[in-house]
Amino acid sequence: MIHSDLLSPAKLKNILLSANINPKKSLGQNFLIDRNIVNKVVSAADLSKNDLVIEVGAGLGVLTVPLASKAKTVVAYEIDARLLPILEEVTEQSNNVEVRGEDVLNFKFQILNFKTYKVVGNLPYYIAPRILRLFLSESNPPESLVVIIQQEVAQRICAQPPQTSKLSLAVQFYGEPKIITTISRSFFWPMPNVDSALLKIVVKPDAGRQAVEECFFALLKAGFASKRKLLISNLTNYLLKNRAQWEEIFLAAKLPVLARAEQLSMEDWLRLAGEWKEMNIKNKN
Ligand code: SAM
């Protein structure tokens, strides 16, 4: 079996049929069948022969082989044991591919013999946000993530005020997301019910964010708890019961007390987290 067979829906169906494999919806198995999109993914990953790629959900290897031709090493995670013999066969000629037949959520960067890495994948939709969180909040995060995800989720991740959400802010806390291109559902087999997008997230240097990480995420959780309420009311209901103290914190962070969570920019949230943290420290002393 060769790599180009995977790009022909008829041949792909035959390969799976002869191995008695039915694509599993529960594992998000919608295989990419368009060469142009494969090329766009590889080009967006911006690889050199020094790069380690962690590929998430390698499937039958449609991305693995071209990624391996550009990178030093590709560690390809695929949870479905039924696909592994085909994945091994398709990647046979690429001697820099290491297939890991396991759940990518078990990923531990420490076990890799590299300083940096890049994440690439046509993500299984059912856990796409969890996978992004896993890598972005790693103590040693990747330089970038290039992923295919549902278009609507990609748009939510890239949203700016006044349309932000917990998801957009959680991702933008760590990196700069950008939609490279939208992808029609007809470029996958079996065809999913929604269109996709190719999203690139370039991870930002820490720049002091880590110091307020815990406060930032606690603020997001409480701040977006009730959509109809003002930010300050949510924070008073779910975090610190003293409204007058929040008014002081808002003043110090130069934020209007009537603000709604989705209107704040990343800089606003970082100032709010910084001021709240400072008040916590003062109160303890
Ligand atoms: N890369 C292939 C492609 O582009 O055609 C397959 C992409 S398909 C959308 C997602 C793949 O992720 C499936 O092969 C599925 O079995 C695999 N997968 C699902 N959950 C996983 C997990 N937790 N860890 C690793 N792989 C997973």
Side-chain angles (χ1 to χ4, degrees), residues 26-33 55-64 77-80 83 100 102-105 121-127 131 148 188:
S26 61
L27 288 177
Q29 288 178 348
N30 302 101
F31 300 103
L32 184 57
I33 49 172
E55 191 195 353
V56 179
L60 304 179
V62 75
L63 291 171
T64 323
Y77 279 83
E78 174 49 60
I79 200 171
D80 189 349
L83 307 184
R100 296 222 175 132
E102 56 182 287
D103 189 337
V104 73
L105 298 175
N122 175 11
L123 298 188
Y125 290 166
Y126 74 110
I127 45 167
I131 291 171
I148 295 177
F188 301 90

Side-chain angles (χ1 to χ4, degrees), residues 50-268:
N50 297 320
D51 283 323
L52 163 66
V53 173
I54 303 296
E55 191 195 353
V56 179
L60 304 179
V62 75
L63 291 171
T64 323
V65 171
L67 287 170
S69 75
K70 298 275 183 203
K72 178 154 193 199
T73 304
V74 178
V75 177
Y77 279 83
E78 174 49 60
I79 200 171
D80 189 349
R82 302 174 309 161
L83 307 184
L84 297 179
I86 305 174
L87 177 60
E88 294 280 6
E89 193 181 329
V90 169
T91 56
E92 205 170 37
Q93 306 294 320
S94 315
N95 52 18
N96 55 346
V97 173
E98 189 189 316
V99 172
R100 296 222 175 132
E102 56 182 287
D103 189 337
V104 73
L105 298 175
N106 295 333
F107 173 80
K108 289 275 171 293
F109 179 76
Q110 292 74 7
I111 52 175
L112 304 165
N113 213 2
F114 278 75
K115 281 210 180 81
T116 58
Y117 62 108
K118 294 174 175 172
V119 170
V120 181
N122 175 11
L123 298 188
Y125 290 166
Y126 74 110
I127 45 167
R130 241 176 108 187
I131 291 171
L132 295 182
R133 200 176 327 130
L134 167 86
F135 284 104
L136 289 170
S137 62
E138 251 282 320
S139 53
N140 199 340
E143 287 172 63
S144 61
L145 298 98
V146 169
V147 292
I148 295 177
I149 58 172
Q150 283 183 29
Q151 186 176 327
E152 181 254 331
V153 178
Q155 281 162 345
R156 277 204 285 132
I157 286 175
C158 296
Q160 295 295 324
Q163 257 118 30
T164 63
S165 64
K166 266 198 294 187
L167 177 66
S168 67
L169 291 158
V171 170
Q172 292 173 28
F173 180 77
Y174 298 107
E176 283 176 15
K178 186 180 166 198
I179 293 177
I180 307 281
T181 184
T182 52
I183 308 174
S184 158
R185 66 192 79 182
S186 63
F187 292 151
F188 301 90
W189 186 86
M191 190 165 78
N193 295 328
V194 291
D195 291 324
S196 291
L198 178 60
L199 179 77
K200 180 165 186 171
I201 305 171
V202 176
V203 175
K204 299 192 267 204
D206 175 40
R209 274 175 301 120
Q210 224 178 352
V212 294
E213 188 170 5
E214 212 177 302
C215 291
F216 176 87
F217 281 95
L219 285 172
L220 281 196
K221 191 167 174 216
F224 281 95
S226 174
K227 270 203 151 188
R228 285 171 294 117
K229 293 215 163 76
L230 292 178
L231 173 60
I232 199 162
S233 309
N234 275 332
L235 297 179
T236 311
N237 284 343
Y238 299 101
L239 218 49
L240 164 73
K241 305 288 172 210
N242 186 337
R243 190 178 172 110
Q245 275 203 324
W246 281 120
E247 283 177 7
E248 262 179 56
I249 297 170
F250 271 51
L251 191 69
K254 300 184 177 65
L255 294 175
V257 272
L258 295 183
R260 293 187 175 275
E262 64 277 12
Q263 295 171 326
L264 264 55
S265 68
M266 178 56 70
E267 290 67 33
D268 293 336

